[in-house]
Amino acid sequence: MSILIKNIGLFPMDGKDEWIENTNIYIQENKIIHIGEFREDIEVEREIDGKNKVAMPGLVNSHTHIGMSLLRNLADDLPLHDWLTKKIWPTEAKLNGEDVYWGSLLSMVEMIESGTTSFCDMYFFMDRVAEALKESGMRGVLTRGLIEEQGESQNKLDETRKLFKDWHGRADGRIKVMVAPHAPYTCSPNFLKQTMDLAKELNTGIHIHLSETKKELEDSLKEHGKTPIEHVNDLGLLDFHTIGAHCVHVNDDDIKIIKEKGLFPVNNPTSNLKLASGFAPVDAMLKAGIPVALGTDGSSSNNNLNMFEEIHLASIINKAVTGDAVSVPAIKALEMATINGARALDWEDEIGSIELGKKADLILIDTDKSHFYPHHNQISALAYSTQGSDVDTVIVNGKILMENRIIRTLDVEKIKYMAEKRAQDLISR
C-alpha cells in the first residue's frame, strides 16, 4: 500500500536533532520514499491528515517479558529475590503455551496503543509468541529464556534452535531470534559457553540479564572474584552482539568493558525502581558514547508497557541521581527509546529513525491536548509531556496497525476476554 501523511510535524530522530514543521511523508510498500514538499507525481492509495499531530519513529522496547501480562498485579511490593523465587517462578511453572499466547497478544495490544512498534522479548513457549507477533503486525526479537536445569538444559537449547529455524526472518522480516541465557546467576560458566556455541552456530546475538541487583554483584564477586560484566566478558560472551538488560550495578571498569566490547545496555527505570534494584549510571554510559537503550521489563515488575513513561523516568531519575539538571536531556531519552533501541536489536539500518529508504515504522501523536499547550519546545514535549494514550496512529512495515486509536490487526475485546480467562485459570492451577 502507498500512504501519504500530509501536513505533519516531524521529529525524525536522524541525528540532526531538528524539528520539521508541516511536512509530508510518503510511504510505498514498507519503506519511506519521500519526506518534504507535496508530490503530485507519487500516486497514493491512502491519505492521513497530520493536522495537530506529530510523527516520530515507533518506540523500541528493548527488554521485556510480554507473556507476563497474565501475572500483572499478582505479586507486588517484594524484593527481587523473593518476588522471583516465592511468587513468579512457582506461578510460571504452571504456564502453558495457550496462556503465553493470549498474554502476549494482550501485551501487544498495550504496546501498540502506547506507540511501541518493536520489542525484544525473553520468555518461554516462544513459538506461540511468534504466532501472536505475526498476527499483530509488530516487529520483534524473540528469545527463549534459558535457565540451567538438570536434565532439561539441552532441551531448552534445542527449543531455541528450532525457534530460530522456524521463525527467524519470517513475517516479512519482522521477526528475529536470538539466544537468551537468563543471567550469570542462573547459568553456570559451562552452560553459558553452550549458549555461546549455539549463538555462533546460528550466527545470531545474545540477550541476557546483567548486574541487575546488588546481591547479584556481591554473589558474583564472592563466587568468581569478578563483577558479572567482567565474568561474562572473560568467558567471551561479549564478543557477540549482546543485549544486556538492566546493567544497574556497574563500575567504571565495567563501563570501559561495555564500551570496548560494544555491549548494548538496556535501562529499565520503572522495574528498577519498583524492585528497589537501584539506579543505573545512564549518564556515565551515555557520556562514554554507549548507546543505552530503554525497556519496560515485564508487566509483573512494572506494571505496564508504556514506553513514554520510561522515557520520562529515564531522564528525570538521572538528573536527581547525578545532581545535574542537564543529565540525560530530553533528546537523549528519546534516542534511548528509538535509534538506540534499534541498534540494540541489530535493526539500526532499517528502523529507529524516519529517513528515506528506512522501513516505515512510525507513530503519530495527537498534540491537540491540554498538556501539550503552549507549544514552546516540541522535543521537550515528546519526552516530558506525552502520554501513551496520545498515540493516534501506528504504522509498522508500511502497514497501519492502529488509526484514530482503533487497532486494526487484532480483536482487542476477544484478547482482553481470553487473557482474563487464562489468568484466572492459571491461578486456579
Side-chain angles (χ1 to χ4, degrees):
M1 176 182 283
S2 55
I3 301 170
L4 164 61
I5 305 171
K6 62 182 183 180
N7 306 321
I8 187 82
L10 171 62
F11 189 48
M13 300 297 299
D14 58 0
K16 299 176 184 177
D17 299 351
E18 63 181 7
W19 183 268
I20 302 172
E21 290 283 358
N22 197 32
T23 191
N24 302 283
I25 304 170
Y26 287 82
I27 297 167
Q28 195 165 77
E29 298 299 332
N30 63 357
K31 291 185 178 180
I32 298 164
I33 64 166
H34 177 71
I35 301 170
E37 72 282 356
F38 181 75
R39 292 272 299 273
E40 292 186 357
D41 60 314
I42 300 178
E43 186 175 339
V44 297
E45 300 170 70
R46 282 290 317 277
E47 284 192 6
I48 297 174
D49 187 1
K51 183 181 179 182
N52 293 323
K53 294 183 177 67
V54 170
M56 68 174 289
L59 305 182
V60 182
N61 187 342
S62 295
H63 174 70
T64 188
H65 312 279
I66 62 173
M68 292 186 79
S69 63
L70 295 193
L71 282 62
R72 192 195 326 257
N73 303 321
L74 175 66
D76 295 309
D77 305 324
L78 293 169
L80 175 63
H81 186 72
D82 290 344
W83 177 78
L84 276 174
T85 59
K86 297 179 181 179
K87 295 290 186 177
I88 299 304
W89 285 345
T91 307
E92 286 181 330
K94 302 295 184 180
L95 280 169
N96 60 38
E98 195 72 2
D99 297 328
V100 172
Y101 171 77
W102 289 106
S104 297
L105 281 173
L106 180 66
S107 291
M108 290 176 199
V109 167
E110 183 182 358
M111 287 191 287
I112 292 169
E113 289 180 335
S114 53
T116 292
T117 54
S118 303
F119 62 90
C120 182
D121 190 46
M122 180 193 291
Y123 216 47
F124 27 82
F125 298 106
M126 295 305 292
D127 56 329
R128 303 307 308 278
V129 182
E131 292 171 18
L133 176 53
K134 181 180 179 181
E135 293 170 26
S136 73
M138 295 183 72
R139 190 182 303 277
V141 174
L142 304 183
T143 68
R144 199 278 189 221
L146 302 170
I147 294 176
E148 188 171 9
E149 184 179 358
Q150 186 70 31
E152 287 296 323
S153 296
Q154 186 57 51
N155 290 338
K156 294 177 180 180
L157 292 169
D158 289 341
E159 282 184 34
T160 296
R161 184 179 284 107
K162 186 176 188 304
L163 181 71
F164 187 93
K165 179 182 177 181
D166 291 345
W167 287 102
H168 185 76
R170 300 298 174 86
D172 300 318
R174 291 184 288 107
I175 298 177
K176 284 186 181 182
V177 175
M178 292 186 183
V179 179
H182 173 263
Y185 61 88
T186 54
C187 301
S188 68
N190 181 60
F191 187 60
L192 284 174
K193 288 179 180 177
Q194 291 181 57
T195 67
M196 290 157 52
D197 288 342
L198 180 58
K200 185 176 182 180
E201 172 193 328
L202 301 177
N203 190 27
T204 192
I206 288 176
H207 180 201
I208 185 172
H209 297 86
L210 285 174
S211 292
E212 182 175 359
T213 66
K214 186 177 180 181
K215 182 181 187 305
E216 178 186 345
L217 172 63
E218 291 172 344
D219 288 349
S220 181
L221 290 170
K222 183 177 180 180
E223 182 176 358
H224 304 293
K226 306 169 186 176
T227 68
I229 299 289
E230 291 172 328
H231 172 53
V232 298
N233 182 49
D234 287 350
L235 290 174
L237 188 140
L238 301 189
D239 292 336
F240 294 83
H241 180 105
T242 304
I243 302 167
H246 299 290
C247 295
V248 174
H249 295 275
V250 296
N251 58 33
D252 289 345
D253 289 338
D254 289 332
I255 291 175
K256 289 178 183 176
I257 292 172
I258 291 169
K259 171 65 175 176
E260 177 186 343
K261 303 302 292 191
L263 171 68
F264 294 93
V266 183
N267 184 215
N268 301 272
T270 296
S271 178
N272 293 340
L273 286 169
K274 184 166 179 279
L275 293 173
S277 298
F279 305 99
V282 173
D283 184 66
M285 288 192 280
L286 289 174
K287 286 177 177 175
I290 297 166
V292 183
L294 197 60
T296 60
D297 213 354
S299 298
S300 185
S301 63
N302 188 302
N303 294 18
N304 63 59
L305 300 174
N306 180 2
M307 281 289 288
F308 277 107
E309 198 169 284
E310 304 304 318
I311 291 169
H312 191 158
L313 288 174
S315 180
I316 63 173
I317 286 171
N318 284 279
K319 297 180 191 317
V321 168
T322 61
D324 178 8
V326 182
S327 172
V328 192
I331 181 63
K332 292 298 179 183
L334 291 167
E335 286 177 358
M336 290 169 68
T338 55
I339 191 63
N340 286 4
R343 290 167 179 148
L345 274 54
D346 200 18
W347 254 321
E348 181 184 2
D349 292 340
E350 298 185 71
I351 65 170
S353 61
I354 299 177
E355 300 181 69
L356 294 184
K358 278 201 169 186
K359 295 292 175 63
D361 285 22
L362 53 90
I363 60 177
L364 306 186
I365 298 166
D366 180 0
T367 56
D368 193 22
K369 304 281 186 71
S370 58
H371 52 275
F372 281 107
Y373 285 85
H375 296 119
H376 289 304
N377 186 319
Q378 298 281 29
I379 296 174
S380 289
L382 288 177
Y384 299 129
S385 302
T386 306
Q387 307 298 309
S389 56
D390 296 329
V391 177
D392 176 87
T393 300
V394 173
I395 299 173
V396 177
N397 220 37
K399 181 177 181 180
I400 299 172
L401 307 191
M402 182 174 78
E403 188 173 14
N404 299 321
R405 292 207 56 78
I406 298 173
I407 292 182
R408 298 170 53 169
T409 55
L410 298 171
D411 185 338
V412 176
E413 291 306 313
K414 181 179 180 180
I415 290 167
K416 289 191 293 186
Y417 171 81
M418 289 301 299
E420 182 71 27
K421 183 178 179 179
R422 299 306 306 183
Q424 296 305 321
D425 187 58
L426 171 64
I427 299 307
S428 71
R429 280 178 247 148

